Amino acid sequence: MTEHALPQTFEPSDTASAVEALKARFGEAASTGSSVLGLHRRDESHHAPFDPDIVVFPSSTEEVAEVLRIASRFRVPVTPWGTGSGLEGGAIPTRGGITLSMARLDRILEIRPDDMIARVEAGVRRKTLNRELRDTGLFFPVDPGADASLGGMASTGASGTNAVRYGVMRENVLGLTVVTAAGEIVKTGSLARKSSSGYDLTRLFVGSEGTLGVVTEVSLRLHPIADSVSALAGFETLEGAIATVIDIKRMGLSIGRVELLDLQTVHAINREHARGGPLALEPLPTLFFEFQHALGESDPSTEAIAEIVASHGGTPLRWMRGADAAQVIWDVRRDAMGWAERERPGSRSWSTDTCVPISALAESILGASADIAASSVPGYIIGHVGDGNFHCIFMMLPDEEDEVHAIAERIARRALQASGTATGEHGVGIGKREFLIEEHGLPAVTLMRTLKAALDPLDILNPGKVLPDLV
């Protein structure tokens, strides 16, 4: 077994017997090959990798239940795995044991256009679902950037650029199929749009990051594809861009998406354009807009937004005419950090996010910008600022980790002081556990521990994630 430091509450496990039992039951779908283990040792975060002892690829909810029963019998940790696109280490098997891949649970079970509902297995990716929905006039709006699995998105409480209009995973998950630590199959929720029946188990599991149960099926709320137009504007100052968003929200103007790019991000986009990239921007802090159900430049709501932009030192709105042109800016928004990482050979990205009340957005972002300016580590600010959420991404070299950790800690604590959260959409995973008591208070975290102990008394479900260690 891979050796890891274990908290005092974790009892020794019989990993060798569990591996033998899994291989006997699942054959080639249970692998201890070095290449397979290596592919499941880290996610997209900066956190240190750990090898699992075995990776299992179940093909049904019933097979997931069998894996959990074996894991429970031998007290072996189980780490669920979607696509490995997480940013806080939630899928890293820090205590070895079993990595449970959802890759073969990839069936779209049901699409009900009249009800605007889809049922999918946990391994279905969001882009796959939206391609299947294309001819229905519907789509699933939650877009975290990566082509993540829908089970993983439910488990982390994912969000993204569309959250300001459509909400996050919690608002868009109607029900789940979950396997407990004991291998029992539980169905939560229903296909009704609302219910006042019993405890809300669906939202207990959404965002629990595999620490309370393993999600195997998800029932999703779909939405009509809306007509939309996109535009962008640059600003003399970062303050002006933030003030524009606050005024748009305060006036109740309808907007689909609004994304902030700080000056360093804009410079990275322009350097990529010089190498043949798709978009050149004025060298100014920039907002990307998407207006839905709007007529474009002559629509009263977009005219009002253009006036707000101008009042805060913004350039005239630059309209991205046509679907292809509009898609360019959202592709650029997604790809910009990859371009920035390539500019510093040997670096690895450290991405942190927070979310604050809109009234605290300026103080939080400007404070983070000052932290970045005072550091020698290149840093970038981008964000779904329409709902108070923003990201700081650092391109750090190996010897800069302590410096980046200190900056990320200041950014998180600034958000908490503003009655915000240390993680808006990345999840807690490994990286944000240290803030849990400070954010929620000891009584709330104690209640979380009680729930964890009740549902997972052997502490085998993604141990070492979300809840801070007992001290």
Side-chain angles (χ1 to χ4, degrees), residues 334-363:
R334 183 192 64 237
D335 295 338
M337 288 304 98
W339 299 336
E341 188 170 1
R342 290 204 304 267
E343 291 182 340
R344 199 179 194 209
S347 69
R348 182 168 178 80
S349 65
W350 178 322
S351 178
T352 187
D353 87 307
T354 59
C355 190
V356 296
I358 287 289
S359 61
L361 189 60
E363 180 182 358

Side-chain angles (χ1 to χ4, degrees), residues 443-465:
V445 174
T446 300
L447 181 56
M448 293 180 200
R449 291 191 197 280
T450 301
L451 287 168
K452 169 72 168 171
L455 294 173
D456 181 21
L458 298 178
D459 193 25
I460 62 170
L461 289 176
N462 213 6
K465 315 292 171 54

Side-chain angles (χ1 to χ4, degrees), residues 37 41 67 92 161 215 228 247 266 293 321 328 339 352 415 440:
L37 301 184
R41 67 195 308 260
V67 174
I92 298 175
T161 61
V215 172
S228 64
D247 280 357
V266 170
H293 303 296
R321 295 181 176 86
V328 165
W339 299 336
T352 187
H440 297 283

